[in-house]
Amino acid sequence: MNTRITIGKEVMVPELYFKNDGQLNSYPRRMEFNGHEYTFMDGLRYLVHKGKQFVQVFDMTDGRHDYRLKFDSAEHSWTLVDMSL
């Protein structure tokens, strides 16, 4: 059983990939957090309303652990919401 840990910290996402889910969407390929680099194999993308803005939420996996990231397009920032161990 995986344990989810709340992180809530800004991370760097230096690489994206594109997937055609009926329309071409971008997904994080790599993430840098606390001096470590994580490479994602696959994931899901959700659009969430935040007031008048849309926030993109990504549930990603590296094949071993799961990660939830949030991209705030107004701030152009990525946040690691939580991860499983």
Side-chain angles (χ1 to χ4, degrees), residues 7-83:
I7 307 291
K9 300 215 177 197
E10 192 169 327
V11 295
M12 294 291 298
V13 176
E15 185 178 346
L16 301 172
Y17 73 97
F18 295 91
K19 189 160 112 176
N20 191 344
D21 307 328
Q23 63 181 1
L24 197 58
N25 292 309
S26 61
Y27 291 78
R29 167 69 70 203
R30 289 187 302 122
M31 170 184 73
E32 296 172 0
F33 175 63
N34 278 351
H36 297 282
E37 184 176 288
Y38 303 87
T39 301
F40 303 123
M41 296 172 52
D42 198 13
L44 299 171
R45 175 181 170 266
Y46 311 93
L47 288 177
V48 179
H49 270 265
K50 181 182 174 185
K52 294 182 180 183
Q53 302 175 20
F54 281 103
V55 174
Q56 297 179 66
V57 177
F58 297 87
D59 285 340
M60 305 302 295
T61 185
D62 63 4
R64 197 165 162 215
H65 298 103
D66 297 322
Y67 307 85
R68 177 164 288 158
L69 293 113
K70 176 178 75 169
F71 178 68
D72 187 330
S73 58
E75 300 291 325
H76 297 283
S77 64
W78 288 90
T79 302
L80 176 58
V81 177
D82 62 31
M83 63 188 288

